[in-house]
Amino acid sequence: MLPNVKKAKATIGILAVFSALTLSACSGGGGGGGSSASSGSSATELKPGVYDIGTQYVGGASREGLSLFSPTGAFVSGFVDDENPELKAYTFGSLAFFAPNKISGDVVEYQLKPRSEDTSWVKIDGTLSGQVVDSGRADLTASSNGKVSSISVVLRKPELSDSSLTFEKMAETYNMPGPGAENISSITIGPGGAIEGMDIDECVFNGQVVIPDEAINVFEFTYNASNCPALAAESASVSARNGDFSGLGTLNIATNELIFYSRKSNSDDAWAWMFKGIKQ
């Protein structure tokens, strides 16, 4: 077991996995967890799907969240503090697997942290490396500027991951509620995967969903956001909120909940967004 990470459970999140890897690196563990494959053996890869993650940041707090691994190699992890919604962290990247049971890739983390004078986003470029313990678990270390920043453990959620996904199942309108009774965002997915939506600030969303593998409950998407004003509460400019976005998402058929994470495509803007809506 990696230091400062509780025993892996089905509820542990993707962020916890990143934290576990970081702490492992700090303690001289190089991405441990599980036994290594013998030299020359074929690589063990993580199965794509929906994962829980638990993360321990170096010199900071531990977090639990959700992570999505696409069959294309793209992934995202997301964390929002329910008690302090101004504290958010979304990590995007792509992963590669190689023998013996190693994982690596480039990552970009978007963090929203309350500050003494204002709340604003920070964008951090880094790398991810670690050990694939088995097809449903990995121990990961995140680094930035040559220094370990967190260690994490990720655990696959088989039932949710392996529920098939089709445009027919997704074709609904999903509403994201705000602190009160009012919906703050609404997204409609059409029978062919087209995205249309609007939020309380009158942002307009138009895009397209892609399902890489209908056997895996993870989808990719792109959309264009227009007519969005600046978001003063998060120090997000008009430029940051408008333009082309991309990301990953999943649909929980049992709860009728659609979740996706998006970021500005090919941009230096430090802003990312999570949509979490319930079928209308």
Side-chain angles (χ1 to χ4, degrees):
M1 175 56 63
L2 296 171
N4 296 328
V5 175
K6 295 180 180 180
K7 184 177 181 180
K9 302 184 293 183
T11 56
I12 200 171
I14 290 296
L15 290 177
V17 173
F18 286 135
S19 297
L21 289 176
T22 302
L23 293 179
S24 177
C26 289
S27 63
S35 58
S36 300
S38 60
S39 177
S41 64
S42 61
T44 297
E45 299 185 5
L46 283 181
K47 291 185 66 176
V50 183
Y51 282 70
D52 284 321
I53 182 173
T55 298
Q56 178 67 53
Y57 286 88
V58 173
S62 59
R63 297 175 177 172
E64 293 185 0
L66 187 72
S67 188
L68 307 175
F69 287 77
S70 171
T72 67
F75 87 96
V76 64
S77 66
F79 166 83
V80 177
D81 191 327
D82 292 334
E83 297 181 358
N84 184 2
E86 291 185 338
L87 183 60
K88 306 174 184 178
Y90 307 125
T91 303
F92 298 81
S94 59
L95 300 177
F97 304 91
F98 55 96
N101 305 339
K102 299 296 183 181
I103 186 172
S104 67
D106 294 325
V107 297
V108 180
E109 184 172 36
Y110 299 78
Q111 294 183 357
L112 180 67
K113 294 183 177 181
R115 303 178 188 281
S116 57
E117 297 181 357
D118 64 0
T119 297
S120 59
W121 287 89
V122 176
K123 180 181 177 183
I124 304 171
D125 294 317
T127 59
L128 188 67
S129 62
Q131 181 82 22
V132 178
V133 178
D134 56 44
S135 62
R137 175 185 169 176
D139 298 340
L140 309 173
T141 299
S143 301
S144 180
N145 296 322
K147 296 182 179 180
V148 172
S149 56
S150 66
I151 292 179
S152 304
V153 173
V154 290
L155 293 177
R156 194 170 188 267
K157 300 165 72 73
E159 184 174 354
L160 183 57
S161 298
D162 298 329
S163 58
S164 62
L165 187 64
T166 64
F167 289 145
E168 182 179 6
K169 291 180 178 180
M170 297 182 70
E172 296 285 354
T173 294
Y174 302 87
N175 294 322
M176 181 174 177
E182 187 175 17
N183 292 320
I184 58 174
S185 300
S186 179
I187 295 290
T188 297
I189 298 178
I195 297 173
E196 295 182 352
M198 181 176 287
D199 71 8
I200 196 171
D201 295 324
E202 298 187 351
C203 285
V204 177
F205 310 112
N206 290 284
Q208 180 66 42
V209 170
V210 174
I211 301 175
D213 184 345
E214 291 187 351
I216 301 297
N217 189 4
V218 173
F219 62 87
E220 301 185 7
F221 63 88
T222 57
Y223 67 82
N224 176 267
S226 61
N227 200 48
C228 301
L231 185 60
E234 297 184 4
S235 299
S237 67
V238 171
S239 172
R241 298 192 69 202
N242 290 272
D244 295 326
F245 288 75
S246 60
L248 300 176
T250 185
L251 173 64
N252 189 324
I253 302 295
T255 61
N256 293 320
E257 184 177 69
L258 182 81
I259 297 176
F260 67 70
Y261 304 90
S262 66
R263 61 168 172 170
K264 193 84 169 281
S265 305
N266 303 315
S267 172
D268 291 330
D269 288 319
W271 192 71
W273 184 48
M274 178 190 75
F275 177 84
K276 187 175 183 180
I278 301 296
K279 184 169 71 173
Q280 190 174 41

